[in-house]
Amino acid sequence: MKGKNNQNMKDNQLFNGSLLFFIIITGGVMLSLINDSSKGFAVDNATVLTNVNGNGHIMPYMEFLEIYNPEHAPITFVDLRSEEQFQQGHLHNAMHLPMSELVTKESLRKLRQADAELILYSDAQHRSVRALMMLKSLGLKNVRALAGNYQLLKEKVLEKPDPVLFFHHEEKARWNYLHFMNNAHKSPDDGASLQPQLVIEGGC
Amino acid sequence: MGPLIPYQIINGDLNLLFAFFIGVGFGYILEQAGFSSARKLAGVFYGYDFTVLKVFFTAGITAALGLYFFRYLGWIDFSMVYINPLYIGSAIVGGAVMGLGFVLGGYCPGTSLAAAVIGKVDAMVFIAGMFIGIFLFGLFYPVFEPLHTSHFVGHVFIFDTLGMPQSWFLFILILVALAAFIITQKIENSSTLFKDLLNAKKLDVRLPMVFLLILATTAILLPDQRTSMTRENSSKEMTARLVEENHYVTPLKVAHSLVYDMQDLHLVDVRNSDEYRRFHLPGAVNLPMEQLSNHHVRRLLNAPGKTIVFYSNGSTKAEQAWFYAQRAGYGNIRVLKGGLNEFFDVVFAGGETPEAFDPGHEFTERFISTAAEFFRNGELNRRSGAGKTIPQAPDLELMAADGGC
């Protein structure tokens, strides 16, 4: 009889163990299917990353000049700077949306409704880039950021166009680093007079 | 005891204590499965007792199922799980040697210990033999080394090598396991060798088998698994980050850290490998932005207590990389403000001194000229030489348990 009892115990153990395992996993799976785990974002993180790779989403000034005219297809410029900065001057017909209010329901509604390509700009490149990432993560598809910042745009593109900057991209190496490193200490005055070579891109 | 120790939730010195308890538990399991009996163990080779196969196969598929689902549910951070590296040459030879020893001696390492502590002399002899083998291996290692390190394939998964999705492999594996259980039961029943060893041990395994099958089928039918979401920041949290700007490190701070070799910042170059090869800051590791979502990168970024600084030529790429990492839940990532362009502006071309690092204008000026000289004199070149690329960065591996039996 003792053997039989042991047997039953073992049976029970196996059954209980596997049942427990089963319940934990199915319970977890069901919960996860019910819960929304998107954390409030519309697009998966990795997808956003692949999406922004390659610089197509940053608009160079050359392209800006082509589209910055009333005959072109609708675009909406979105000015991310503060109130005062906006008042002092902004792009014609730009929508004002300070960074702090970018993600409110109101703003997102306005942005989504703007049946046009959205071009973000602000007083520093990294800000418009950050905003771009945020909006892309929230699911806005037709959004890009303008290269550089408003100051640069105003002075060197609108007022006194400087062709050097037409293909300006902040991510291009401005200096020829290695050359500078290698040659600086060879110069007689300890490199102080050596000008780092500006890397100029763009063409005619 | 990962992940509790790498994440510093529990003191690392408790490792051995955990090992003790786990060891006791493992010994108990071995003993009550009957594995302290050499006859029972060797049965799998002679075909009269397949308990070894059943126990280990069951353990394997339970672990596989558990890991699969826990990873799916986000309860486990898979990047913290150690995957054995595969060296084909040594795996085959070592496996054969181990198998031979198993059949001859009737024990394997773990079970020999379980048997020795209950007084079995043959197990003690087996252990002595094991140590002799270890000693000889160490002594003659130069002879074995080429074999030991040959044909390294990487930390691979079977399903990757076979080119099938993980859920299908799991399903098929479970089917194979269940088939194996049924077949070996039949073989045992018809075996005439050592019939006295066959205690009436017909467990009712039908329900557990059904559970396994259901789980395996669920694994296949589940919607595509999103990578572990539990650590990710929600859109609310990211919105707050949007306006804060405290994730920047100024070029001066980085220069300072480099010149005085403070080793407090870990620089990560997020440009592509060509640009990295042409020039990178000393000690910087290359991690092209597109590769940020790779699995093994998580170990690098997941470094509690370290400050990681992303940099690129400007601050666009680094910012994007930062956004990705921040959203993915890595807390300690910073960005070099203005990137390499600004770095060169400040250190060499006398660009504007940012206020954050300005304990006194004169002091800063002096530091700038020191830094410029330091870099010019070739220090940068010297240190810049040894560039590392992910994933071959061994010193960045976290503590991980080694497998073993």
Side-chain angles (χ1 to χ4, degrees):
Chain A
M1 273 325 274
K2 197 142 187 241
K4 198 84 208 289
N5 273 343
N6 271 340
Q7 209 43 54
N8 283 339
M9 247 177 53
K10 280 201 168 162
D11 266 345
N12 271 342
Q13 270 180 352
L14 177 61
F15 177 69
N16 291 342
S18 42
L19 184 62
L20 185 64
F21 185 63
F22 183 72
I23 289 180
I24 292 177
I25 293 196
T26 33
V29 168
M30 293 213 264
L31 272 175
S32 80
L33 289 176
I34 297 175
N35 270 341
D36 170 34
S37 57
S38 66
K39 303 259 176 170
F41 286 116
V43 187
D44 174 51
N45 205 1
T47 315
V48 175
L49 190 69
T50 339
N51 204 303
V52 298
N53 196 23
N55 295 319
H57 51 287
I58 305 265
M59 179 185 279
Y61 294 135
M62 191 70 190
E63 194 180 335
F64 168 78
L65 287 173
E66 285 167 19
I67 60 176
Y68 192 52
N69 73 66
E71 283 123 43
H72 193 272
I75 321 163
T76 310
F77 288 103
V78 180
D79 190 323
L80 298 164
R81 302 171 301 155
S82 71
E83 189 65 47
E84 307 108 57
Q85 288 169 318
F86 186 76
Q87 296 300 347
Q88 283 167 9
H90 53 268
L91 287 181
H92 188 61
N93 276 342
M95 185 196 292
H96 182 222
L97 207 53
M99 287 283 272
S100 48
E101 291 166 30
L102 188 65
V103 190
T104 60
K105 271 207 170 77
E106 241 331 280
S107 322
L108 290 175
R109 199 175 47 86
K110 266 196 264 172
L111 289 172
R112 288 195 172 111
Q113 272 174 355
D115 189 27
E117 187 171 39
L118 297 167
I119 315 281
L120 311 171
Y121 72 87
S122 87
D123 55 347
Q125 173 86 94
H126 57 84
R127 289 201 181 109
S128 34
V129 166
R130 220 180 314 142
L132 177 74
M133 293 293 281
M134 190 71 192
L135 291 179
K136 278 211 174 289
S137 302
L138 289 171
L140 273 85
K141 294 215 173 33
N142 215 0
V143 55
R144 295 167 73 186
L146 199 53
N149 54 58
Y150 181 73
Q151 240 8 67
L152 208 57
L153 179 67
K154 179 165 158 238
E155 287 165 21
K156 304 273 181 146
V157 179
L158 292 174
E159 288 172 4
K160 291 196 195 151
D162 184 354
V164 166
L165 283 167
F166 283 3
F167 291 94
H168 164 80
H169 192 294
E170 203 230 7
E171 271 305 312
K172 291 201 179 134
R174 226 186 301 144
W175 314 112
N176 188 333
Y177 308 128
L178 199 54
H179 170 89
F180 187 66
M181 285 302 166
N182 284 334
N183 294 309
H185 62 279
K186 292 183 195 155
S187 138
D189 54 356
D190 201 26
S193 71
L194 192 77
Q195 286 308 310
Q197 293 187 341
L198 267 180
V199 178
I200 299 189
E201 308 247 355
C204 172
Chain B
M1 192 56 198
L4 299 171
I5 287 181
Y7 277 109
Q8 301 181 334
I9 299 176
I10 294 187
N11 193 331
D13 294 336
L14 288 179
N15 243 340
L16 284 180
L17 188 63
F18 280 114
F20 174 73
F21 286 117
I22 293 177
V24 168
F26 186 55
Y28 168 74
I29 290 175
L30 287 180
E31 177 65 45
Q32 66 104 32
F35 285 171
S36 53
S37 151
R39 285 214 199 93
K40 200 169 181 63
L41 288 170
V44 70
F45 293 97
Y46 293 105
Y48 57 80
D49 186 327
F50 288 94
T51 313
V52 170
L53 181 143
K54 287 182 201 163
V55 168
F56 280 99
F57 218 152
T58 314
I61 53 184
T62 310
L65 267 176
L67 269 180
Y68 180 85
F69 279 103
F70 283 19
R71 177 189 191 182
Y72 183 89
L73 297 171
W75 295 348
I76 272 193
D77 182 354
F78 209 67
S79 65
M80 306 276 282
V81 174
Y82 179 73
I83 317 285
N84 269 334
L86 172 60
Y87 295 86
I88 297 188
S90 46
I92 293 180
V93 173
V97 169
M98 156 100 176
L100 191 64
F102 199 150
V103 165
L104 278 178
Y107 292 111
C108 66
T111 50
S112 65
L113 287 167
V117 297
I118 59 171
K120 299 208 170 166
V121 180
D122 61 341
M124 297 182 202
V125 174
F126 188 93
I127 293 180
M130 210 167 47
F131 277 100
I132 293 176
I134 294 174
F135 177 71
L136 287 176
F137 181 80
L139 195 59
F140 291 107
Y141 186 69
V143 175
F144 297 121
E145 187 169 10
L147 177 62
H148 192 231
T149 51
S150 72
H151 299 112
F152 177 61
V153 178
H155 301 250
V156 290
F157 288 105
I158 299 181
F159 49 86
D160 276 338
T161 317
L162 291 176
M164 61 167 69
Q166 186 181 9
S167 52
W168 276 100
F169 177 72
L170 193 57
F171 185 74
I172 294 177
L173 186 68
I174 290 180
L175 286 181
V176 169
L178 296 180
F181 297 157
I182 297 175
I183 294 176
T184 53
Q185 190 65 46
K186 293 226 161 27
I187 297 180
E188 271 180 16
N189 289 346
S190 61
S191 158
T192 48
L193 279 174
F194 297 96
K195 222 173 163 102
D196 53 322
L197 280 175
L198 298 176
N199 308 318
K201 46 175 165 48
K202 300 230 176 56
L203 291 178
D204 185 359
V205 295
R206 289 169 301 177
L207 272 176
M209 278 185 163
V210 167
F211 290 155
L212 281 177
L213 270 174
I214 294 180
L215 286 180
T217 329
T218 320
I220 298 190
L221 298 175
L222 279 178
D224 251 344
Q225 171 200 49
R226 287 183 278 213
T227 41
S228 171
M229 302 279 279
T230 40
R231 305 184 48 200
E232 282 206 9
N233 278 321
S234 67
S235 60
K236 273 213 186 67
E237 287 153 354
M238 288 309 290
T239 309
R241 297 266 189 298
L242 201 61
V243 201
E244 288 170 6
E245 292 209 341
N246 51 11
H247 59 281
Y248 290 110
V249 181
T250 61
L252 269 187
K253 170 85 183 84
V254 171
H256 188 258
S257 170
L258 288 173
V259 170
Y260 295 119
D261 201 14
M262 290 173 64
Q263 314 234 355
D264 54 345
L265 301 174
H266 295 259
L267 300 171
V268 174
D269 190 324
V270 295
R271 303 173 297 163
N272 63 48
S273 42
D274 283 327
E275 293 179 286
Y276 175 82
R277 258 188 297 250
R278 263 185 266 140
F279 172 82
H280 58 268
L281 290 177
V285 183
N286 184 216
L287 180 52
M289 191 179 83
E290 320 76 71
Q291 295 182 18
L292 271 177
S293 45
N294 284 353
H295 273 311
H296 39 249
V297 165
R298 291 168 148 248
R299 288 172 194 246
L300 168 63
L301 298 180
N302 223 347
K306 293 196 205 170
T307 306
I308 296 176
V309 180
F310 284 169
Y311 77 82
S312 58
N313 285 332
S315 51
T316 309
K317 227 173 190 171
E319 189 81 22
Q320 291 170 328
W322 170 83
F323 189 93
Y324 172 85
Q326 190 67 38
R327 183 176 160 191
Y330 302 111
N332 54 343
I333 315 258
R334 314 292 204 92
V335 167
L336 173 60
K337 189 152 199 196
L340 283 178
N341 287 337
E342 178 93 2
F343 185 84
F344 271 68
D345 274 350
V346 167
V347 176
F348 294 97
E352 280 186 31
T353 316
E355 290 137 41
F357 190 81
D358 195 357
H361 193 66
E362 199 192 292
F363 177 78
T364 315
E365 297 245 308
R366 253 190 288 142
F367 169 68
I368 291 183
S369 43
T370 313
E373 206 177 285
F374 170 84
F375 288 130
R376 283 205 196 98
N377 285 342
E379 279 303 305
L380 199 66
N381 281 342
R382 242 195 337 106
R383 292 203 199 156
S384 213
K388 289 184 271 192
T389 341
I390 308 290
Q392 283 89 23
D395 48 277
L396 295 162
E397 295 244 353
L398 296 171
M399 278 187 277
D402 269 290
C405 175

